[in-house]
Amino acid sequence: KGRAPYLPPMILRSIQVGVPRAYGAEGAEEPLDRPWTSAIAKQPLAGAVWIGRLGVAGDMQADRRVHGGPDKAVLAYGHRHYAAWRELLGRPEVGPGWFGENLTIDGADEQTVCVGDRMAIGQARFEVTQPRQPCATLNRRFHRKDMVKLVQVHQRTGWYVRVITEGWVEAGMAATLADRPYPQWPVRVASELMVERARRREECERLAACPALSESWRGTLLAAAPSL
């Protein structure tokens, strides 16, 4: 199956939710300043939080066609990324919730988490389904035309999970790896494959065969590998 990446002890540092908000102004000359609506700006919650099949209680998405659903119920992000972003961007305010993430986990990142990993936090159980594909909303959120590119280059995308068992979760709880059936598919590797799918079709075929992978990613990878 491939060598499993080392996974250090993990702790859930914070839980975030957000609601759609309108930004920008009509007639703005700069494209990043024109009107847009998103729930990407999420705020940390205190106390125990319920996480159901479709996500964290109180969390919303502006466009349910591309966000949310059982395969992308919750977005997780590595806590150590924030310090790196603050230094790179010169933005001391960057922290949990800035990337639209629901769960901020210390000890986890795109190199150590694999597609198919099953994690336990409090009463809830999660399964990693795919890397997060950064979209233009991140450019608007950070008011930088190159933010999506920076997220991809530095491989700080985050990852989506489906909720296998609903339950109460609270910041400060341990995040435990319960099962790792597909150690050959670290989130970083899957993300690289999606970007390079046109020329890495055989690898795309293997990733698409992973039962834990989200249906949307499987469809895109299969489209890149017409022999399937």
Side-chain angles (χ1 to χ4, degrees):
K1 288 186 176 181
R3 185 178 180 182
Y6 169 70
L7 189 64
M10 297 178 292
I11 296 176
L12 178 64
R13 290 296 185 192
S14 60
I15 306 169
Q16 292 83 225
V17 298
V19 297
R21 298 183 185 279
Y23 303 89
E26 292 288 350
E29 183 175 344
E30 166 59 52
L32 292 177
D33 293 329
R34 293 170 188 166
W36 58 286
T37 301
S38 176
I40 191 172
K42 300 190 185 296
Q43 300 298 317
L45 297 173
V49 179
W50 179 261
I51 301 183
R53 297 284 182 183
L54 295 179
V56 182
D59 192 45
M60 299 177 65
Q61 295 85 31
D63 188 350
R64 295 303 295 264
R65 295 173 300 172
V66 294
H67 298 115
D71 280 354
K72 295 191 289 185
V74 178
L75 177 60
Y77 204 66
H79 183 264
R80 71 184 186 94
H81 290 335
Y82 301 125
W85 283 124
R86 289 193 290 266
E87 181 178 358
L88 178 65
L89 302 175
R91 302 276 296 271
E93 70 274 23
V94 173
W98 268 75
F99 293 82
E101 66 276 24
N102 302 114
L103 305 181
T104 297
I105 302 176
D106 203 359
D109 62 28
E110 291 75 9
Q111 297 187 79
T112 61
V113 173
C114 299
V115 174
D117 279 2
R118 291 205 169 194
M119 294 186 179
I121 306 176
Q123 295 178 342
R125 301 293 181 269
F126 308 96
E127 183 178 56
V128 178
T129 59
Q130 66 166 78
R132 187 258 194 93
Q133 280 184 282
C135 65
T137 301
L138 278 173
N139 290 346
R140 299 186 182 100
R141 167 69 161 145
F142 284 85
H143 208 259
R144 290 185 63 118
K145 296 178 181 179
D146 62 347
M147 196 62 201
V148 168
K149 182 178 180 180
L150 287 174
V151 168
Q152 292 174 326
V153 167
H154 292 281
Q155 281 291 344
R156 302 173 192 153
T157 60
W159 56 94
Y160 281 106
V161 300
R162 61 174 61 95
V163 180
I164 302 300
T165 302
E166 300 180 329
W168 293 97
V169 172
E170 188 169 356
M173 288 180 168
T176 304
L177 180 65
D179 191 22
R180 169 163 286 171
Y182 310 108
Q184 69 271 40
W185 296 124
V187 168
R188 178 169 186 160
V189 172
S191 186
E192 290 173 347
L193 269 181
M194 179 59 77
V195 172
E196 302 172 6
R197 61 189 180 277
R199 64 182 184 85
R200 298 174 66 180
R201 296 187 176 185
E202 290 185 5
E203 292 168 277
C204 286
E205 180 177 346
R206 293 197 294 272
L207 176 57
C210 176
L213 191 70
S214 69
E215 287 297 327
S216 62
W217 264 54
R218 181 172 293 110
T220 302
L221 292 171
L222 292 179
S227 62
L228 297 179

